[in-house]
Short mmCIF file of all heavy atoms in Angstrom, two decimals:
data_model
loop_
_atom_site.label_atom_id
_atom_site.label_comp_id
_atom_site.label_asym_id
_atom_site.label_seq_id
_atom_site.Cartn_x
_atom_site.Cartn_y
_atom_site.Cartn_z
N MET A 1 78.00 119.35 97.29
CA MET A 1 79.19 118.72 97.81
C MET A 1 78.84 117.98 99.10
O MET A 1 78.06 118.46 99.91
CB MET A 1 80.26 119.78 98.06
CG MET A 1 81.45 119.24 98.81
SD MET A 1 82.70 120.48 99.09
CE MET A 1 83.92 119.85 97.98
N THR A 2 79.46 116.84 99.27
CA THR A 2 79.28 116.05 100.48
C THR A 2 80.09 116.69 101.60
O THR A 2 81.24 117.03 101.41
CB THR A 2 79.74 114.61 100.27
OG1 THR A 2 79.04 114.07 99.16
CG2 THR A 2 79.47 113.77 101.48
N GLU A 3 79.48 116.87 102.75
CA GLU A 3 80.21 117.45 103.87
C GLU A 3 79.79 116.79 105.18
O GLU A 3 78.70 116.23 105.28
CB GLU A 3 79.98 118.95 103.96
CG GLU A 3 78.52 119.32 104.15
CD GLU A 3 78.28 120.81 104.08
OE1 GLU A 3 78.53 121.40 103.03
OE2 GLU A 3 77.85 121.36 105.10
N ASP A 4 80.69 116.87 106.15
CA ASP A 4 80.47 116.27 107.46
C ASP A 4 80.11 114.79 107.36
O ASP A 4 79.27 114.29 108.09
CB ASP A 4 79.40 117.04 108.24
CG ASP A 4 79.82 118.47 108.52
OD1 ASP A 4 81.04 118.72 108.63
OD2 ASP A 4 78.96 119.34 108.65
N ILE A 5 80.78 114.11 106.43
CA ILE A 5 80.59 112.67 106.23
C ILE A 5 81.90 111.99 106.59
O ILE A 5 82.98 112.42 106.18
CB ILE A 5 80.25 112.36 104.76
CG1 ILE A 5 78.96 113.04 104.34
CG2 ILE A 5 80.19 110.87 104.50
CD1 ILE A 5 77.72 112.49 104.96
N ALA A 6 81.83 110.93 107.37
CA ALA A 6 83.03 110.16 107.70
C ALA A 6 83.31 109.14 106.60
O ALA A 6 82.39 108.50 106.10
CB ALA A 6 82.85 109.45 109.03
N VAL A 7 84.58 109.03 106.22
CA VAL A 7 85.00 108.03 105.23
C VAL A 7 86.26 107.35 105.76
O VAL A 7 87.04 107.94 106.50
CB VAL A 7 85.28 108.67 103.85
CG1 VAL A 7 84.01 109.24 103.24
CG2 VAL A 7 86.33 109.75 103.94
N ALA A 8 86.44 106.10 105.38
CA ALA A 8 87.63 105.35 105.80
C ALA A 8 88.42 104.97 104.56
O ALA A 8 87.85 104.59 103.54
CB ALA A 8 87.23 104.10 106.57
N TRP A 9 89.73 105.10 104.65
CA TRP A 9 90.63 104.71 103.58
C TRP A 9 91.50 103.59 104.13
O TRP A 9 92.18 103.75 105.13
CB TRP A 9 91.50 105.90 103.17
CG TRP A 9 92.52 105.55 102.15
CD1 TRP A 9 93.85 105.35 102.37
CD2 TRP A 9 92.31 105.33 100.76
NE1 TRP A 9 94.49 105.03 101.20
CE2 TRP A 9 93.55 105.01 100.19
CE3 TRP A 9 91.19 105.37 99.93
CZ2 TRP A 9 93.70 104.73 98.85
CZ3 TRP A 9 91.36 105.10 98.60
CH2 TRP A 9 92.59 104.79 98.07
N ASN A 10 91.44 102.44 103.48
CA ASN A 10 92.14 101.26 103.96
C ASN A 10 93.06 100.77 102.85
O ASN A 10 92.63 100.09 101.93
CB ASN A 10 91.12 100.18 104.34
CG ASN A 10 91.76 98.96 104.91
OD1 ASN A 10 92.84 98.55 104.52
ND2 ASN A 10 91.08 98.35 105.86
N SER A 11 94.32 101.17 102.94
CA SER A 11 95.28 100.72 101.94
C SER A 11 96.18 99.65 102.55
O SER A 11 96.37 99.61 103.76
CB SER A 11 96.13 101.90 101.46
OG SER A 11 96.72 102.54 102.57
N SER A 12 96.69 98.78 101.71
CA SER A 12 97.55 97.73 102.24
C SER A 12 98.55 97.28 101.18
O SER A 12 98.34 97.45 99.99
CB SER A 12 96.72 96.54 102.73
OG SER A 12 95.99 95.99 101.67
N LEU A 13 99.63 96.73 101.65
CA LEU A 13 100.67 96.11 100.84
C LEU A 13 100.96 94.76 101.48
O LEU A 13 100.62 94.54 102.66
CB LEU A 13 101.95 96.96 100.86
CG LEU A 13 101.84 98.35 100.26
CD1 LEU A 13 103.08 99.16 100.61
CD2 LEU A 13 101.69 98.26 98.76
N PRO A 14 101.61 93.85 100.78
CA PRO A 14 101.94 92.58 101.41
C PRO A 14 102.72 92.80 102.71
O PRO A 14 103.74 93.47 102.72
CB PRO A 14 102.80 91.88 100.35
CG PRO A 14 102.36 92.47 99.05
CD PRO A 14 102.02 93.91 99.37
N GLY A 15 102.19 92.31 103.80
CA GLY A 15 102.84 92.43 105.10
C GLY A 15 102.62 93.74 105.82
O GLY A 15 103.16 93.95 106.89
N ALA A 16 101.84 94.66 105.25
CA ALA A 16 101.60 95.96 105.89
C ALA A 16 100.17 96.41 105.64
O ALA A 16 99.58 96.08 104.62
CB ALA A 16 102.57 97.00 105.35
N LYS A 17 99.65 97.17 106.57
CA LYS A 17 98.29 97.66 106.41
C LYS A 17 98.13 98.92 107.26
O LYS A 17 98.69 99.02 108.35
CB LYS A 17 97.29 96.61 106.88
CG LYS A 17 95.86 97.02 106.76
CD LYS A 17 94.96 95.87 107.15
CE LYS A 17 93.56 96.40 107.21
NZ LYS A 17 92.59 95.50 106.72
N VAL A 18 97.38 99.88 106.75
CA VAL A 18 97.07 101.10 107.50
C VAL A 18 95.65 101.53 107.12
O VAL A 18 95.21 101.33 105.99
CB VAL A 18 98.10 102.22 107.23
CG1 VAL A 18 98.04 102.69 105.79
CG2 VAL A 18 97.89 103.39 108.17
N GLU A 19 94.93 102.07 108.09
CA GLU A 19 93.59 102.58 107.80
C GLU A 19 93.43 103.93 108.46
O GLU A 19 93.85 104.12 109.60
CB GLU A 19 92.51 101.63 108.32
CG GLU A 19 91.11 102.15 108.02
CD GLU A 19 90.02 101.13 108.28
OE1 GLU A 19 90.19 99.98 107.86
OE2 GLU A 19 89.02 101.51 108.89
N ASP A 20 92.88 104.87 107.73
CA ASP A 20 92.60 106.19 108.25
C ASP A 20 91.11 106.46 108.15
O ASP A 20 90.45 106.00 107.22
CB ASP A 20 93.32 107.27 107.43
CG ASP A 20 94.82 107.26 107.66
OD1 ASP A 20 95.21 107.28 108.85
OD2 ASP A 20 95.57 107.27 106.69
N THR A 21 90.60 107.22 109.10
CA THR A 21 89.22 107.67 109.05
C THR A 21 89.24 109.20 109.01
O THR A 21 89.91 109.84 109.83
CB THR A 21 88.41 107.19 110.27
OG1 THR A 21 88.48 105.76 110.32
CG2 THR A 21 86.96 107.62 110.17
N PHE A 22 88.54 109.76 108.04
CA PHE A 22 88.50 111.20 107.84
C PHE A 22 87.06 111.69 107.89
O PHE A 22 86.12 110.93 107.63
CB PHE A 22 89.03 111.57 106.44
CG PHE A 22 90.48 111.28 106.24
CD1 PHE A 22 90.89 110.06 105.74
CD2 PHE A 22 91.43 112.24 106.52
CE1 PHE A 22 92.23 109.80 105.53
CE2 PHE A 22 92.77 111.99 106.32
CZ PHE A 22 93.18 110.77 105.82
N VAL A 23 86.89 112.98 108.18
CA VAL A 23 85.62 113.66 108.00
C VAL A 23 85.83 114.66 106.86
O VAL A 23 86.83 115.39 106.85
CB VAL A 23 85.16 114.40 109.27
CG1 VAL A 23 83.95 115.28 108.99
CG2 VAL A 23 84.83 113.41 110.36
N ILE A 24 84.92 114.66 105.89
CA ILE A 24 84.96 115.65 104.82
C ILE A 24 84.30 116.92 105.36
O ILE A 24 83.12 116.90 105.73
CB ILE A 24 84.23 115.16 103.56
CG1 ILE A 24 84.85 113.85 103.07
CG2 ILE A 24 84.26 116.23 102.47
CD1 ILE A 24 84.06 113.18 101.96
N LEU A 25 85.05 118.00 105.44
CA LEU A 25 84.55 119.26 105.99
C LEU A 25 83.81 120.09 104.95
O LEU A 25 83.89 119.81 103.75
CB LEU A 25 85.71 120.06 106.58
CG LEU A 25 86.52 119.35 107.67
CD1 LEU A 25 87.73 120.19 108.07
CD2 LEU A 25 85.65 119.04 108.87
N LYS A 26 83.12 121.09 105.41
CA LYS A 26 82.32 121.95 104.54
C LYS A 26 83.15 122.57 103.41
O LYS A 26 82.69 122.69 102.28
CB LYS A 26 81.68 123.06 105.37
CG LYS A 26 80.68 123.90 104.63
CD LYS A 26 80.07 124.92 105.56
CE LYS A 26 78.58 124.72 105.56
NZ LYS A 26 77.86 125.65 106.40
N ASP A 27 84.43 122.93 103.70
CA ASP A 27 85.29 123.55 102.69
C ASP A 27 85.96 122.52 101.77
O ASP A 27 86.78 122.86 100.94
CB ASP A 27 86.33 124.44 103.35
CG ASP A 27 87.27 123.69 104.27
OD1 ASP A 27 87.18 122.45 104.36
OD2 ASP A 27 88.09 124.36 104.93
N GLY A 28 85.61 121.23 101.95
CA GLY A 28 86.16 120.17 101.11
C GLY A 28 87.46 119.58 101.64
O GLY A 28 87.96 118.60 101.10
N LYS A 29 88.01 120.17 102.70
CA LYS A 29 89.23 119.62 103.29
C LYS A 29 88.89 118.39 104.11
O LYS A 29 87.75 118.16 104.47
CB LYS A 29 89.92 120.67 104.16
CG LYS A 29 90.47 121.82 103.35
CD LYS A 29 91.19 122.80 104.23
CE LYS A 29 91.71 123.96 103.39
NZ LYS A 29 92.36 124.96 104.23
N LEU A 30 89.94 117.61 104.41
CA LEU A 30 89.77 116.40 105.21
C LEU A 30 90.30 116.61 106.61
O LEU A 30 91.38 117.19 106.80
CB LEU A 30 90.52 115.23 104.57
CG LEU A 30 90.09 114.83 103.18
CD1 LEU A 30 91.02 113.76 102.62
CD2 LEU A 30 88.66 114.33 103.19
N LYS A 31 89.59 116.13 107.60
CA LYS A 31 90.06 116.12 108.98
C LYS A 31 90.33 114.66 109.34
O LYS A 31 89.43 113.83 109.33
CB LYS A 31 89.02 116.71 109.92
CG LYS A 31 89.45 116.67 111.37
CD LYS A 31 88.39 117.28 112.27
CE LYS A 31 88.84 117.21 113.71
NZ LYS A 31 87.82 117.76 114.61
N ASN A 32 91.59 114.35 109.64
CA ASN A 32 91.98 112.99 109.97
C ASN A 32 91.63 112.70 111.43
O ASN A 32 92.17 113.33 112.34
CB ASN A 32 93.47 112.78 109.71
CG ASN A 32 93.88 111.34 109.82
OD1 ASN A 32 93.27 110.55 110.53
ND2 ASN A 32 94.93 110.98 109.12
N LEU A 33 90.76 111.74 111.66
CA LEU A 33 90.33 111.39 113.02
C LEU A 33 91.24 110.37 113.67
O LEU A 33 91.19 110.18 114.88
CB LEU A 33 88.90 110.85 113.00
CG LEU A 33 87.83 111.80 112.46
CD1 LEU A 33 86.48 111.10 112.46
CD2 LEU A 33 87.78 113.09 113.24
N THR A 34 92.07 109.68 112.88
CA THR A 34 92.86 108.59 113.42
C THR A 34 94.34 108.92 113.59
O THR A 34 95.10 108.10 114.10
CB THR A 34 92.73 107.33 112.53
OG1 THR A 34 93.01 107.70 111.18
CG2 THR A 34 91.35 106.75 112.61
N PHE A 35 94.77 110.12 113.19
CA PHE A 35 96.18 110.48 113.33
C PHE A 35 96.51 110.75 114.79
O PHE A 35 95.80 111.47 115.49
CB PHE A 35 96.51 111.72 112.48
CG PHE A 35 97.95 112.14 112.62
CD1 PHE A 35 98.95 111.40 112.04
CD2 PHE A 35 98.28 113.25 113.37
CE1 PHE A 35 100.28 111.76 112.18
CE2 PHE A 35 99.61 113.63 113.51
CZ PHE A 35 100.61 112.88 112.91
N ASP A 36 97.61 110.17 115.26
CA ASP A 36 98.07 110.38 116.62
C ASP A 36 99.39 111.16 116.56
O ASP A 36 100.41 110.63 116.11
CB ASP A 36 98.28 109.04 117.32
CG ASP A 36 98.74 109.17 118.76
OD1 ASP A 36 99.06 110.29 119.20
OD2 ASP A 36 98.79 108.14 119.45
N PRO A 37 99.41 112.42 117.02
CA PRO A 37 100.63 113.21 116.94
C PRO A 37 101.78 112.66 117.79
O PRO A 37 102.92 113.05 117.60
CB PRO A 37 100.20 114.59 117.43
CG PRO A 37 98.98 114.37 118.23
CD PRO A 37 98.32 113.14 117.64
N ASN A 38 101.48 111.74 118.71
CA ASN A 38 102.53 111.13 119.53
C ASN A 38 103.19 109.93 118.86
O ASN A 38 104.21 109.43 119.35
CB ASN A 38 101.95 110.69 120.88
CG ASN A 38 101.49 111.87 121.69
OD1 ASN A 38 102.20 112.87 121.82
ND2 ASN A 38 100.29 111.80 122.22
N PHE A 39 102.63 109.45 117.76
CA PHE A 39 103.18 108.30 117.04
C PHE A 39 104.17 108.82 116.01
O PHE A 39 103.94 109.85 115.37
CB PHE A 39 102.03 107.55 116.33
CG PHE A 39 102.39 106.16 115.90
CD1 PHE A 39 102.26 105.09 116.75
CD2 PHE A 39 102.87 105.93 114.62
CE1 PHE A 39 102.60 103.81 116.35
CE2 PHE A 39 103.20 104.65 114.20
CZ PHE A 39 103.07 103.60 115.07
N PRO A 40 105.30 108.14 115.79
CA PRO A 40 106.27 108.60 114.79
C PRO A 40 105.61 108.74 113.41
O PRO A 40 104.84 107.88 112.99
CB PRO A 40 107.33 107.48 114.76
CG PRO A 40 107.17 106.76 116.06
CD PRO A 40 105.72 106.89 116.44
N SER A 41 105.91 109.85 112.74
CA SER A 41 105.28 110.09 111.44
C SER A 41 106.26 110.79 110.50
O SER A 41 107.29 111.30 110.92
CB SER A 41 104.02 110.94 111.61
OG SER A 41 104.34 112.20 112.15
N VAL A 42 105.88 110.81 109.23
CA VAL A 42 106.66 111.48 108.19
C VAL A 42 105.66 112.16 107.26
O VAL A 42 104.54 111.67 107.08
CB VAL A 42 107.56 110.46 107.44
CG1 VAL A 42 106.75 109.41 106.71
CG2 VAL A 42 108.49 111.17 106.49
N GLU A 43 106.04 113.29 106.68
CA GLU A 43 105.14 113.99 105.77
C GLU A 43 105.23 113.38 104.37
O GLU A 43 106.32 113.21 103.82
CB GLU A 43 105.48 115.47 105.71
CG GLU A 43 104.47 116.26 104.91
CD GLU A 43 104.70 117.74 104.98
OE1 GLU A 43 105.11 118.24 106.05
OE2 GLU A 43 104.45 118.42 103.96
N VAL A 44 104.09 113.04 103.80
CA VAL A 44 103.99 112.49 102.46
C VAL A 44 102.94 113.29 101.71
O VAL A 44 101.77 113.33 102.10
CB VAL A 44 103.58 110.99 102.48
CG1 VAL A 44 103.43 110.46 101.07
CG2 VAL A 44 104.60 110.17 103.27
N GLU A 45 103.37 113.99 100.66
CA GLU A 45 102.47 114.81 99.85
C GLU A 45 101.62 115.74 100.70
O GLU A 45 100.41 115.87 100.50
CB GLU A 45 101.60 113.92 98.95
CG GLU A 45 102.42 113.14 97.94
CD GLU A 45 101.57 112.35 96.96
OE1 GLU A 45 100.37 112.65 96.81
OE2 GLU A 45 102.13 111.43 96.35
N GLY A 46 102.26 116.37 101.69
CA GLY A 46 101.57 117.36 102.50
C GLY A 46 100.74 116.83 103.66
O GLY A 46 100.11 117.58 104.38
N ARG A 47 100.73 115.51 103.84
CA ARG A 47 99.93 114.91 104.92
C ARG A 47 100.85 114.03 105.77
O ARG A 47 101.64 113.27 105.25
CB ARG A 47 98.80 114.08 104.32
CG ARG A 47 97.90 113.46 105.37
CD ARG A 47 96.62 112.92 104.80
NE ARG A 47 95.75 114.05 104.49
CZ ARG A 47 95.10 114.20 103.36
NH1 ARG A 47 95.20 113.33 102.41
NH2 ARG A 47 94.34 115.25 103.17
N LEU A 48 100.72 114.17 107.09
CA LEU A 48 101.52 113.34 107.99
C LEU A 48 100.99 111.92 107.98
O LEU A 48 99.80 111.68 108.09
CB LEU A 48 101.49 113.91 109.41
CG LEU A 48 102.22 115.23 109.58
CD1 LEU A 48 101.99 115.79 110.98
CD2 LEU A 48 103.71 115.07 109.32
N ARG A 49 101.93 110.97 107.81
CA ARG A 49 101.59 109.55 107.74
C ARG A 49 102.38 108.81 108.81
O ARG A 49 103.53 109.15 109.10
CB ARG A 49 101.97 108.99 106.36
CG ARG A 49 101.34 109.71 105.20
CD ARG A 49 99.83 109.63 105.17
NE ARG A 49 99.44 108.24 105.15
CZ ARG A 49 98.39 107.75 105.79
NH1 ARG A 49 97.62 108.52 106.49
NH2 ARG A 49 98.10 106.48 105.73
N PRO A 50 101.80 107.76 109.41
CA PRO A 50 102.53 107.00 110.42
C PRO A 50 103.72 106.27 109.81
O PRO A 50 103.67 105.83 108.67
CB PRO A 50 101.48 106.02 110.96
CG PRO A 50 100.46 105.91 109.88
CD PRO A 50 100.45 107.23 109.18
N VAL A 51 104.77 106.16 110.59
CA VAL A 51 105.97 105.42 110.18
C VAL A 51 105.74 103.96 110.56
O VAL A 51 105.38 103.67 111.70
CB VAL A 51 107.22 105.97 110.88
CG1 VAL A 51 108.44 105.12 110.59
CG2 VAL A 51 107.46 107.40 110.47
N PRO A 52 105.95 103.03 109.62
CA PRO A 52 105.77 101.61 109.97
C PRO A 52 106.73 101.18 111.07
O PRO A 52 107.89 101.61 111.09
CB PRO A 52 106.09 100.87 108.67
CG PRO A 52 105.96 101.88 107.60
CD PRO A 52 106.29 103.21 108.23
N LEU A 53 106.26 100.37 111.98
CA LEU A 53 107.10 99.81 113.03
C LEU A 53 107.43 98.37 112.65
O LEU A 53 106.57 97.64 112.19
CB LEU A 53 106.37 99.85 114.37
CG LEU A 53 105.98 101.24 114.86
CD1 LEU A 53 105.23 101.12 116.19
CD2 LEU A 53 107.19 102.13 115.01
N TYR A 54 108.66 97.99 112.83
CA TYR A 54 109.12 96.64 112.48
C TYR A 54 109.56 95.91 113.73
O TYR A 54 110.03 96.51 114.68
CB TYR A 54 110.29 96.71 111.50
CG TYR A 54 109.93 97.40 110.21
CD1 TYR A 54 110.22 98.74 110.01
CD2 TYR A 54 109.27 96.70 109.20
CE1 TYR A 54 109.88 99.38 108.84
CE2 TYR A 54 108.93 97.34 108.02
CZ TYR A 54 109.24 98.67 107.84
OH TYR A 54 108.89 99.29 106.67
N ASN A 55 109.40 94.60 113.72
CA ASN A 55 109.85 93.78 114.85
C ASN A 55 111.31 93.54 114.75
O ASN A 55 111.91 93.36 113.80
CB ASN A 55 109.12 92.43 114.87
CG ASN A 55 107.63 92.62 115.07
OD1 ASN A 55 107.13 93.70 115.08
ND2 ASN A 55 106.95 91.52 115.21
#
């Protein structure tokens, strides 16, 4: 199993984009390096995701 490897997930939709960087841990779980607990977020499928900001 791959462990202690950084990976980036870059998903986008028209007019929106988000990128996360994770480390794959020894137990196979992901540690999110880019999540900011001070930024507004919502839980999606067990993982906190940033809330889009609109102008």
Side-chain angles (χ1 to χ4, degrees):
M1 171 180 250
T2 304
E3 60 186 63
D4 297 331
I5 299 290
V7 295
W9 176 257
N10 183 324
S11 54
S12 61
L13 296 168
K17 180 176 172 142
V18 65
E19 180 169 314
D20 289 310
T21 302
F22 294 91
V23 171
I24 302 172
L25 302 174
K26 188 178 238 181
D27 62 4
K29 293 182 181 177
L30 298 174
K31 178 179 179 182
N32 189 332
L33 300 178
T34 52
F35 179 73
D36 181 352
N38 295 313
F39 197 87
S41 62
V42 63
E43 187 173 324
V44 177
E45 296 185 18
R47 182 167 285 133
L48 291 173
R49 304 297 303 142
V51 173
L53 300 178
Y54 300 97
N55 297 6

